[in-house]
Amino acid sequence: MQWVIGGILVASIAWVMFEVVRWWRARRRNQPKGTINAAASDVPGATPALFALDLAVKTLERRCEALQRDLEEHARREQEILERLNRLEASAAASTSATGPVEPLAASPEYVEPMVLARRGLDAPAIAARCGITLGEAELLVAMARGEGRSEP
């Protein structure tokens, strides 16, 4: 995100510089040869074109300043988000190391509720009736919840 805003800022500054050079060349072309028009260029707004160009330059300068402020604000927010993410990752790592690996409830989403009920101690016929699974499936889940379904190597 910071690179995008930085790119926009650089492009805006380049555009301002391009406009200034274009204005300077146009001013030199319009200046009669052999005369010095320093008095007119020192007075802001001496001609409508000069006034418009001066206004455009000042507007672009304000936009560049606003973009710079936005870039600094985004960098600050990005830093806050990264710090928060690091704290959350550290918290998650600490909680998983304290509790051990998390065992999945069931292999299929349709067996999550029956497995939870089996771990809570409900019997197979009650689980089968409540969850709409067969009695054999319910008995298997109850056995897995009790640890009887695990085979020793």
Side-chain angles (χ1 to χ4, degrees), residues 78-89:
E78 179 184 13
Q79 187 62 33
E80 289 174 359
I81 290 170
L82 287 174
E83 289 170 0
R84 182 175 178 207
L85 178 64
N86 288 336
R87 285 193 308 268
L88 289 173
E89 285 176 343

Side-chain angles (χ1 to χ4, degrees), residues 24-90:
W24 182 74
R25 286 183 180 168
R27 194 175 123 220
R28 290 199 36 129
R29 266 187 248 128
N30 292 338
Q31 185 177 16
K33 293 187 179 181
T35 63
I36 299 176
N37 199 7
S41 66
D42 289 342
V43 178
T47 64
L50 185 60
F51 176 75
L53 188 56
D54 188 46
L55 181 64
V57 168
K58 288 181 181 178
T59 302
L60 290 172
E61 287 173 348
R62 282 193 301 270
R63 287 183 182 172
C64 285
E65 290 169 0
L67 284 172
Q68 182 65 34
R69 283 191 305 271
D70 287 347
L71 179 62
E72 291 168 357
E73 175 66 20
H74 286 293
R76 185 186 61 76
R77 286 184 184 173
E78 179 184 13
Q79 187 62 33
E80 289 174 359
I81 290 170
L82 287 174
E83 289 170 0
R84 182 175 178 207
L85 178 64
N86 288 336
R87 285 193 308 268
L88 289 173
E89 285 176 343

Side-chain angles (χ1 to χ4, degrees), residues 4-153:
V4 173
I5 295 172
I8 292 170
L9 181 63
V10 169
S12 298
I13 291 171
W15 187 64
V16 167
M17 294 301 296
F18 171 76
E19 289 295 324
V20 168
V21 169
R22 201 173 89 183
W23 167 78
W24 182 74
R25 286 183 180 168
R27 194 175 123 220
R28 290 199 36 129
R29 266 187 248 128
N30 292 338
Q31 185 177 16
K33 293 187 179 181
T35 63
I36 299 176
N37 199 7
S41 66
D42 289 342
V43 178
T47 64
L50 185 60
F51 176 75
L53 188 56
D54 188 46
L55 181 64
V57 168
K58 288 181 181 178
T59 302
L60 290 172
E61 287 173 348
R62 282 193 301 270
R63 287 183 182 172
C64 285
E65 290 169 0
L67 284 172
Q68 182 65 34
R69 283 191 305 271
D70 287 347
L71 179 62
E72 291 168 357
E73 175 66 20
H74 286 293
R76 185 186 61 76
R77 286 184 184 173
E78 179 184 13
Q79 187 62 33
E80 289 174 359
I81 290 170
L82 287 174
E83 289 170 0
R84 182 175 178 207
L85 178 64
N86 288 336
R87 285 193 308 268
L88 289 173
E89 285 176 343
S91 172
S95 68
T96 57
S97 65
T99 61
V102 177
E103 183 181 327
L105 291 174
S108 177
E110 65 186 74
Y111 294 113
V112 171
E113 183 183 5
M115 186 60 135
V116 169
L117 295 174
R119 286 185 177 168
R120 289 185 181 167
L122 263 70
D123 60 343
I127 293 173
R130 181 170 178 177
C131 298
I133 60 174
T134 64
L135 185 58
E137 291 172 320
E139 288 173 351
L140 177 63
L141 290 172
V142 168
M144 287 173 58
R146 278 193 230 140
E148 295 172 4
R150 294 187 184 146
S151 62
E152 301 270 335

